[in-house]
Amino acid sequence: MNTSHLWHPFTQMKDYNNAAPLIIERGEGILLYDVQGKAYYDGFSSVWLNVHGHNVPELNQAIVDQLGRVAHSTLLGMANIPAIELAEKLVEIAPQGLAKVFYSDSGATGVEIALKMAFQYWHNQGAKKKTTFITMNQAYHGDTIGAVSVGAIPLYHDVFRPMLFPSHTIPYPYAYRHEGGALAAKEATLTALRNLLEARADEIAALIVEPIVQGASGIIVMPQGCLSEMAALCREHDVLLIADEVATGFGRTGAMFACDLEDVSPDLMVIGKGLTGGYLPVAATLATNAVYEAFYADYHEQKTFFHGHSYTGNPLGCAVALASLKLFDERNILEGVKRKASYVENKLAALKERPHVGDIRQQGLMFGIELVRDKATREPYDWAERIGVRTSLRARELGMLTRPLGNVIVFIPPLVSTEAELEAMIHILRDSIIHVTEGRDS
């Protein structure tokens, strides 16, 4: 099979072309099979989005049934049945106050929409000075220009800086890397936000945040109460709150949405990834009635939100999303996540004693295992040592797929994984970490 024409995302192709390519042919349950027939556990849910496993009969059938009706119909000036029904369902399960659904096709485009909505919201209200945004250190919100403008991971974003609009950056509370621990990290974040809002709220349109868990920075988990206090500060200073729930939504954190963990109701919320159960690219930006009404005007006022995507509200994607949400109810997925999260936490506890495991961070079924050169001083491994990459490659040899974030090993299994499957994946994780960091097999 000729793979020479394919350019992979977030992949150094020189490395890829010098190694044996992994080509997936099919999936069944939480297993993926390559073209040689070798099976791999999907230990990172195919980039954090698979919910019910692969090749799920109910989800397959939803697409087939809709395909017999219509594959696509535009939402520009008209509607389709699955898009209407899904919007109603999303409002039903979303944090209180979110009442309108604007579709797109990826988390990044959903963020782009939220930023433009927030900007134009204030413009339509006559507050034309409110044009800037607050983001958080090491934030990742996608790869379109607006999303990168509120991104703050130097490795990913710095080369594009001349193309971007500037944002204000405050620290995300990283307890493991803060000298004072969780409480001090939380207070540093809140103090920075408070000071910034007190000084410049009149020019700030919105704060965008990955609620409870910051993903691409290394699965950094917020101290309890931080998100709700941030939301309160935004309300106090008349600044919109955008919650980027692309990675954290749909049960991954143990609640349907991470905002639910602290009863936070954002002004705008972006969802994607798990929305369709990991089947098709559908995302959405949810807004409050207050935001929507700033655009609801007579035609001549030109307050329309002039934004859209060709496949917005695609009926096939919306149909499978509805089927996925039905499975959440029928199979009590959220309760299962809570139980399994506790199971994995207990099983991973022994890893904390290994000499190069610095920190294990968890929220629901999102885990980040930070590997360090020196546990006492928390000295990180040098990037060039590729510790995370090597550990993930060892896991692949042993039959599990994951993808590291620098020196952090990510474990984000499909939500339907059984305890036996979770135990098998944890065993592979443990063996891979010991093999790479201690130079021996366990």
Side-chain angles (χ1 to χ4, degrees), residues 345-359:
E345 182 180 16
N346 291 334
K347 287 290 181 179
L348 285 178
L351 260 181
K352 294 179 181 177
E353 306 305 316
R354 306 311 305 189
H356 298 286
V357 174
D359 193 25

Side-chain angles (χ1 to χ4, degrees), residues 133-209:
F133 293 87
I134 305 173
T135 186
M136 304 194 76
N137 185 46
Q138 295 294 311
Y140 176 80
H141 296 290
D143 300 320
T144 53
I145 292 299
V148 174
S149 294
V150 291
I153 298 179
L155 178 65
Y156 298 168
H157 301 142
D158 276 3
V159 68
F160 303 111
R161 199 60 57 190
M163 301 173 64
L164 312 177
F165 61 76
S167 298
H168 304 287
T169 304
I170 62 172
Y172 201 94
Y174 190 172
Y176 179 66
R177 291 289 174 188
H178 196 286
E179 291 182 1
L183 289 178
K186 172 184 171 182
E187 190 51 43
T189 294
L190 295 174
T191 298
L193 178 58
R194 187 179 299 109
N195 290 344
L196 181 57
L197 291 174
E198 287 175 355
R200 310 185 76 166
D202 62 337
E203 64 185 58
I204 295 170
L207 161 69
I208 183 168
V209 60

Side-chain angles (χ1 to χ4, degrees), residues 357-417:
V357 174
D359 193 25
I360 300 178
R361 297 183 284 273
Q362 173 199 4
Q363 181 62 54
L365 284 178
M366 297 184 81
F367 293 85
I369 304 170
E370 184 166 348
L371 305 180
V372 292
R373 179 190 303 283
D374 188 308
K375 193 164 185 170
T377 64
R378 304 183 188 182
E379 179 190 355
Y381 285 103
D382 187 85
W383 173 264
E385 294 181 78
R386 298 160 57 99
I387 288 294
V389 172
R390 287 160 50 199
T391 302
S392 295
L393 288 175
R394 178 59 177 170
R396 173 176 154 183
E397 291 173 2
L398 297 176
M400 187 182 79
L401 302 178
T402 187
R403 187 175 172 86
L405 297 166
N407 295 326
V408 177
I409 307 304
V410 171
F411 182 46
I412 301 182
L415 302 189
V416 297
S417 304

Side-chain angles (χ1 to χ4, degrees), residues 199-229:
R200 310 185 76 166
D202 62 337
E203 64 185 58
I204 295 170
L207 161 69
I208 183 168
V209 60
E210 297 166 80
I212 306 297
V213 183
Q214 193 177 48
S217 62
I219 315 298
I220 311 301
V221 180
M222 278 186 172
Q224 189 172 3
C226 188
L227 180 66
S228 59
E229 292 187 48

